[in-house]
Amino acid sequence: MTKVNREIVVSEALDLLDEVGLDTVSTRRLAKRLGVEQPSLYWYFRTKKDLLAAMAEAAMAPHAAAPLPTPDDDWRDWFLDNTRSFRRTLLMRRDGARLHAGSTPANDLDRIRRKMDFLVTSGVPERDAQMAMLAAGRFTVGSVLEEQADVGAGDDSDPTADIHVIDYESAFEAGLTLILDGLVHRTATRAASLSSDDGTLK
């Protein structure tokens, strides 16, 4: 019998997710996979919701391990790279976006704060930085939800010629660029306003 601890349970649960999909993940299947009795899993997770939360956190490990921004980084390039990293990480797991949706990054709050500090220090208005990060995150989750839902939807159908086949990566990049362009515009407008105010005071 496999020696079980919390990390092994989560790791095996993620492997099970990749094999059967989120709808079919169950504590019964997981216990069978681990070679333990189902009630023993409650030693590590009191409810399935707690297990899913731990899985969501572990699934985000590649993104959470990405380097934090430095003062020398261009905030625009970093904003793009950070969002792309989030998308790549969601796509690493089957139903990764569904698993992540609604989860709370309780153990990532310090990294989020440092990212926000970087944007604000770079000249992005604090409220705009908060809303842009939120918008980019939700846009990414929604994009990946659509992309992963489309996988295996059925290849036997013959789309008509007038239906455009979606290139998910290109569509994501286009939407991300629009979000960044809006943030750049608002940041420049804010900077120009502050500069004008300073000139008036002088």
Side-chain angles (χ1 to χ4, degrees):
M1 184 178 70
T2 305
K3 185 178 180 180
V4 176
N5 57 38
R6 182 183 175 92
E7 289 72 25
I8 290 175
V9 171
V10 173
S11 177
E12 290 294 329
L14 286 172
D15 288 343
L16 179 62
L17 171 72
D18 287 338
E19 290 179 12
V20 303
L22 187 59
D23 290 335
T24 315
V25 169
S26 67
T27 54
R28 179 185 60 80
R29 282 177 175 266
L30 180 58
K32 182 177 180 180
R33 184 185 184 91
L34 290 165
V36 301
E37 295 296 324
Q38 184 176 351
S40 67
L41 295 179
Y42 298 123
W43 178 262
Y44 306 101
F45 302 99
R46 296 183 61 184
T47 66
K48 183 180 178 181
K49 182 179 179 181
D50 292 338
L51 172 62
L52 292 175
M55 290 169 61
E57 180 182 342
M60 279 291 103
H63 181 58
L68 287 165
T70 68
D72 293 332
D73 289 334
D74 183 286
W75 72 265
R76 304 162 195 80
D77 292 337
W78 174 84
F79 185 86
L80 293 173
D81 290 343
N82 181 68
T83 312
R84 289 167 180 155
S85 169
F86 182 40
R87 176 178 180 267
R88 286 194 302 270
T89 300
L90 290 175
L91 286 168
M92 286 179 182
R93 294 289 180 178
R94 181 174 177 179
D95 294 332
R98 286 183 60 200
L99 177 66
H100 179 82
S103 63
T104 302
N107 294 326
D108 199 34
L109 295 180
D110 181 63
R111 286 178 59 86
I112 294 173
R113 178 186 59 77
R114 292 170 69 178
K115 291 176 181 182
M116 288 297 308
D117 289 346
F118 165 72
L119 289 175
V120 173
T121 301
S122 299
V124 181
E126 183 174 5
R127 180 65 175 172
D128 289 344
Q130 292 172 345
M131 291 298 100
M133 289 289 285
L134 181 63
R138 291 186 173 180
F139 165 69
T140 303
V141 172
S143 296
V144 177
L145 276 170
E146 291 287 347
E147 183 171 354
Q148 293 183 323
D150 196 38
V151 175
D155 298 326
D156 53 347
S157 59
D158 183 20
T160 59
D162 60 341
I163 297 180
H164 178 66
V165 178
I166 297 175
D167 179 339
Y168 286 104
E169 185 168 3
S170 296
F172 170 79
E173 288 292 333
L176 178 58
T177 298
L178 288 172
I179 294 173
L180 177 61
D181 286 351
L183 185 58
V184 168
H185 175 73
R186 290 181 66 89
T187 299
T189 300
R190 173 66 171 169
S193 175
L194 291 174
S195 177
S196 175
D197 290 344
D198 289 343
T200 301
L201 291 173
K202 293 177 181 178

